[in-house]
Amino acid sequence: MKNRQLTVDKINIGDMITAKALKWPENVKINSYDSYNIDKNGNAFGYDVTASQVGSQPIKGNLYVGDDLIVGENKSLTVNGDLYVKDDLTVKGNLTVKGKIYVGGYADLNGVLSTGADKYIYIAGNATLSDVSALNLNGVMYVNGSLTSSGDVNTNGSIYVRGNADVENFSNSNGTLILLCDGNIQLANNNLYKDNPKVIDAYLYSNSNLFIYGIGSNLKINGGIYGNTISLSASRGSTLNKPIYADWFKIILIGYELEFQNPQPADPAKSRLTVNFKKDMILNPPKGIPTVNKVTLKEINTSVQ
């Protein structure tokens, strides 16, 4: 780098999450013995609520859930106002909320989750994304805890996380993953032991440590990465998870060991981890990314070794 004094303005993710924090309305009281009901303004109230209990018609106003809300597989729920869940939210079907979403506890999300234009999701606890099937997210998500993501996440928005983020078995057949964390980001166990790389569009930003594995994994990231420290662990060529047997007859399996292609290929293109800078993501950022009025790019004496 020609200019060793180059500085980057950090994104204060913690303050941004605090600024977007939602709370349970103090004037709404729901007890465990209260039955599900709708008031004259179209607002719905319930303690433990499921999509089946609500029915097929959209809720005209807000939905207030005093404990847990579950939108099961092959179920749909539409709320034309805001959604307030005092404890945990589970989405395996289709949840559409035209307003904001507040989750006071934990969120387990896959299926389809949509918010209204310029609205967002605030999760006070931890979040797990697409543990079973793909999560299609349309909107911006703020997670006050930590994030675990496993599987296919299709998003046209951004995810802000105060804690750490662990991303495994990730793919995005549609959209771009924009993940911004105050804590550590670890990207591991993606496309294990495959000869052809999995291509994903992603921008990963951490104010702490960013660690990406490309040894057993085989991954090509189109986008960008940022970290207070960045660790990239990669090999070249093929890798194999080789079983270890306890005797010559290969009857008793005692574990596995990672076997690398030997000798390692000289061609850098054979690396099992590639990060390609995607300029369009910076010049035309997805929804939810903090921007200024004008962005310029400057390349500073780059080289490849």
Side-chain angles (χ1 to χ4, degrees), residues 86 91 101 123 132 155 201 208 232 249 262 270 298:
K86 198 168 189 178
V91 178
I101 300 176
I123 300 169
V132 179
T155 173
D201 291 338
S208 299
L232 306 176
F249 297 100
N262 189 22
K270 297 293 186 181
K298 180 180 180 182

Side-chain angles (χ1 to χ4, degrees), residues 14-304:
D15 285 354
M16 295 180 70
I17 293 174
T18 299
K20 295 292 186 178
L22 299 171
K23 295 182 179 180
W24 179 264
E26 294 182 358
N27 62 323
V28 177
K29 309 293 183 183
I30 301 176
N31 298 308
S32 58
Y33 51 80
D34 291 336
S35 59
Y36 177 77
N37 68 91
I38 300 175
D39 68 13
K40 63 181 181 180
N41 297 316
N43 298 314
F45 303 83
Y47 189 71
D48 281 319
V49 177
T50 66
S52 298
Q53 183 180 10
V54 174
S56 60
Q57 295 300 314
I59 295 173
K60 294 180 180 179
N62 301 331
L63 172 59
Y64 301 92
V65 180
D67 194 37
D68 300 336
L69 171 62
I70 299 175
V71 181
E73 191 174 357
N74 299 321
K75 300 295 183 181
S76 295
L77 174 61
T78 299
V79 181
N80 285 326
D82 296 332
L83 170 62
Y84 289 87
V85 181
K86 198 168 189 178
D87 203 353
D88 299 336
L89 171 65
T90 300
V91 178
K92 300 183 184 299
N94 190 328
L95 174 61
T96 300
V97 179
K98 302 297 178 64
K100 299 186 293 291
I101 300 176
Y102 163 79
V103 180
Y106 172 86
D108 182 5
L109 308 175
N110 52 79
V112 180
L113 180 58
S114 301
T115 63
D118 301 321
K119 305 299 181 181
Y120 61 91
I121 306 163
Y122 176 80
I123 300 169
N126 298 329
T128 295
L129 307 184
S130 58
D131 208 21
V132 179
S133 61
L135 170 66
N136 291 281
L137 171 65
N138 178 24
V140 181
M141 180 183 297
Y142 298 90
V143 181
N144 197 47
S146 294
L147 174 76
T148 301
S149 179
S150 176
D152 197 359
V153 178
N154 302 316
T155 173
N156 291 312
S158 309
I159 302 174
Y160 293 78
V161 181
R162 188 183 297 273
N164 299 325
D166 289 312
V167 182
E168 297 189 1
N169 301 317
F170 173 72
S171 62
N172 56 346
S173 55
N174 293 293
T176 300
L177 174 67
I178 308 295
L179 178 60
L180 305 99
C181 290
D182 251 353
N184 303 323
I185 297 177
Q186 178 172 280
L187 194 64
N189 299 324
N190 291 278
N191 198 32
L192 286 171
Y193 317 121
K194 305 295 185 181
D195 290 335
N196 295 320
K198 177 188 288 185
V199 180
I200 63 172
D201 291 338
Y203 180 77
L204 308 173
Y205 177 102
S206 170
N207 281 326
S208 299
N209 302 317
L210 173 63
F211 204 124
I212 305 177
Y213 288 90
I215 299 178
S217 301
N218 194 347
L219 196 61
K220 180 181 289 185
I221 301 172
N222 294 324
I225 58 176
Y226 175 91
N228 187 40
T229 60
I230 296 176
S231 301
L232 306 176
S233 179
S235 65
R236 293 177 181 175
S238 62
T239 59
L240 179 68
N241 202 24
K242 184 179 178 180
I244 305 171
Y245 297 96
D247 56 44
W248 292 103
F249 297 100
K250 296 185 177 181
I251 296 175
I252 303 173
L253 181 67
I254 61 173
Y256 292 87
E257 64 180 354
L258 194 62
E259 186 176 87
F260 300 89
Q261 182 173 334
N262 189 22
Q264 288 276 284
D267 184 3
K270 297 293 186 181
S271 174
R272 298 181 67 85
L273 174 60
T274 304
V275 180
N276 294 324
F277 174 56
K278 189 175 180 182
K279 183 169 64 174
D280 288 347
M281 191 180 300
I282 306 301
L283 297 178
N284 300 293
K287 182 169 56 177
I289 293 295
T291 61
V292 294
N293 291 329
K294 186 177 181 181
V295 175
T296 58
L297 299 177
K298 180 180 180 182
E299 187 175 291
I300 304 176
N301 193 28
T302 59
S303 64
V304 177

